[in-house]
């Protein structure tokens, strides 16, 4: 029985040009893994898991995993998903096993899965329970760099027996990025980082605190690819101070569309230049905050909005 690694490495970028060119030249992937079978995998948490070569009943514990499975055309294998797996809309017809932080183990087991695929938010307690129950569970987590999306597509493709479809999907996404490069004015690609429009991405706001995507996130890469400079690029993690936000006073603010009105109407956010100038970009949930194929749509949408 041979082994295959699930997951990929990190990618550090110095400028939007370098980032775009590296992505266009090809995804990193794990080339050695393509030469082995899927009988035994090592997941992103370093767990060795024996999985069925051709799974028939798959439960997804991650919105990103669910979306990628649909993108691969493997949705007929899905028998369960979480409350947060809302895209595509058809996924909402599947039985739900609850939230992510409060997974219902009994509900998962009642679906009689031969494979469970989780994302980043599932605790070690849950993985231990699945192991104890003898249910194969593989963790494919979101990773810091943008091009790790391709690694996750490859990993999930191998798990569900859709390797060819995964390769085709990756090629399509890379082609879209190449087209983005060819349609971008050369002067924009060579713009110094200091001259790029500043951007702040709202993850959380209000009384519970201010949270955004720091420089060690794939969201930071998306902002760079869209032609902006993340004001939190020097921050590791997700916490950001209100004082720093007010001081930086970014040119553009990105916020989930459903949160846009509340953000713009709340003090002191309503005093920010981006709010007063109409430069708040409401974005569809899942396109930017999940590591999924729709990330390319997010890049294109943000580039368009920041040109206005």
């Amino acid at each position: 029985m041979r082994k295959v690694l699930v997951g990929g490495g990190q990618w550090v970028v110095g400028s939007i040009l370098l980032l775009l060119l590296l992505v266009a030249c090809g995804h990193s992937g794990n080339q050695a893994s393509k030469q082995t079978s899927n009988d035994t995998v090592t997941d992103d948490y370093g767990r060795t898991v024996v999985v069925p070569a051709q799974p028939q009943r798959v439960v997804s514990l991650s919105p990103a995993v669910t979306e990628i499975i649909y993108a691969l055309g493997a949705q007929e294998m899905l028998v369960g998903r979480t409350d947060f797996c809302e895209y595509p809309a058809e996924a909402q017809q599947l039985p739900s096993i609850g939230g992510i932080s409060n997974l219902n183990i009994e509900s998962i087991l009642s679906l009689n899965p031969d494979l469970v695929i989780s994302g980043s938010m599932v605790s070690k307690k849950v993985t231990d329970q699945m192991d104890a129950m003898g249910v194969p569970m593989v963790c494919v987590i979101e990773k810091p760099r943008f091009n790790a999306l391709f690694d996750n597509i490859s990993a999930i493709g191998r798990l569900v027996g859709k390797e060819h479809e995964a390769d085709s999907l990756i090629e399509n996404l890379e082609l879209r990025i190449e087209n983005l490069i060819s349609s971008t004015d050369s002067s924009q690609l060579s713009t110094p980082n200091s001259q790029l429009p500043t951007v702040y991405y709202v993850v959380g706001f209000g009384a519970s605190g201010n949270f955004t995507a720091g420089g060690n996130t794939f969201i930071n890469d998306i902002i760079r690819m869209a032609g902006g400079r993340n004001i939190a690029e020097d921050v590791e993690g997700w916490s950001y101070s209100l004082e720093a936000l007010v001081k930086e006073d970014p040119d553009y603010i990105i916020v989930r569309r459903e949160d846009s009105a509340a953000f713009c109407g709340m003090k002191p956010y309503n005093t920010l230049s981006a709010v007063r100038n109409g430069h708040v970009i409401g974005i569809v949930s899942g396109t930017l905050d999940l590591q999924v194929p729709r990330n390319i749509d997010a890049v294109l949408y943000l580039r368009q909005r920041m040109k206005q």
Side-chain angles (χ1 to χ4, degrees):
M1 186 175 294
R2 295 172 289 175
K3 295 184 178 180
V4 57
L5 294 178
V6 174
Q10 295 186 347
W11 183 34
V12 179
V13 295
S15 66
I16 180 174
L17 176 60
L18 179 59
L19 175 62
L20 289 169
L21 290 177
L22 285 175
V23 175
C25 288
H27 63 284
S28 61
N30 189 319
Q31 298 302 319
S33 66
K34 292 186 177 182
Q35 302 174 8
T36 60
S37 75
N38 285 335
D39 294 331
T40 301
V41 302
T42 301
D43 73 4
D44 286 330
Y45 288 140
R47 301 165 56 252
T48 300
V49 187
V50 178
V51 300
Q54 294 293 328
Q56 303 297 314
R57 300 180 62 82
V58 177
V59 170
S60 168
L61 305 185
S62 160
V65 169
T66 298
E67 183 168 337
I68 290 173
I69 287 176
Y70 270 88
L72 294 174
Q75 61 268 23
E76 72 281 353
M77 301 179 190
L78 277 175
V79 296
R81 47 95 190 185
T82 73
D83 292 342
F84 298 97
C85 298
E86 299 179 340
Y87 184 89
E90 307 93 272
Q92 298 179 47
Q93 304 302 314
L94 292 168
S96 176
I97 47 77
I100 298 177
S101 60
N102 59 335
L103 289 169
N104 189 319
I105 301 299
E106 291 183 358
S107 294
I108 297 174
L109 296 176
S110 71
L111 296 173
N112 193 31
D114 53 11
L115 177 63
V116 175
I117 308 177
S118 78
S120 305
M121 302 299 292
V122 174
S123 67
K124 185 178 185 301
K125 178 181 177 182
V126 173
T127 62
D128 290 344
Q129 287 177 306
M130 289 291 101
D131 290 342
M133 295 293 181
V135 179
M137 178 173 175
V138 177
C139 302
V140 181
I141 67 174
E142 293 179 344
K143 302 175 181 70
R145 298 276 68 90
F146 172 84
N147 73 328
L149 165 64
F150 304 134
D151 299 325
N152 285 0
I153 291 172
S154 292
I156 294 170
R158 291 193 297 270
L159 288 170
V160 299
K162 295 286 186 178
E163 294 180 81
H164 175 73
E165 289 81 356
D167 289 341
S168 296
L169 176 58
I170 292 169
E171 290 175 6
N172 177 264
L173 295 174
E174 291 177 335
L175 179 60
R176 293 182 63 190
I177 294 174
E178 290 177 9
N179 290 336
L180 172 63
I181 296 172
S182 63
S183 64
T184 300
D185 188 288
S186 59
S187 63
Q188 289 180 276
L189 293 176
S190 59
T191 301
N193 188 47
S194 61
Q195 296 180 21
L196 294 173
T198 53
V199 179
Y200 179 76
Y201 172 56
V202 180
V203 174
F205 64 99
S208 60
N210 294 279
F211 300 92
T212 189
N216 60 333
T217 66
F218 69 91
I219 296 171
N220 182 76
D221 287 351
I222 291 174
I223 292 173
R224 290 291 300 274
M225 292 173 70
R229 178 175 68 82
N230 180 10
I231 65 171
E233 64 182 356
D234 294 329
V235 173
E236 290 190 7
W238 301 89
S239 182
Y240 200 73
S241 73
L242 179 59
E243 293 76 16
L245 172 57
V246 173
K247 179 181 178 181
E248 290 289 339
D249 197 20
D251 299 315
Y252 290 92
I253 291 172
I254 306 169
V255 60
R256 286 183 294 272
R257 191 167 291 174
E258 61 268 29
D259 295 333
S260 181
F263 180 88
C264 293
M266 185 181 296
K267 294 182 179 180
Y269 309 113
N270 57 2
T271 67
L272 294 169
S273 297
V275 176
R276 292 186 284 104
N277 295 333
H279 287 173
V280 175
I281 304 173
I283 195 164
V284 175
S285 293
T287 58
L288 181 58
D289 49 340
L290 298 175
Q291 199 164 37
V292 292
R294 286 186 295 160
N295 288 163
I296 309 298
D297 298 330
V299 172
L300 295 172
Y301 178 66
L302 293 176
R303 287 185 71 83
Q304 180 184 38
R305 289 296 305 274
M306 287 194 286
K307 286 181 180 179
Q308 297 177 359

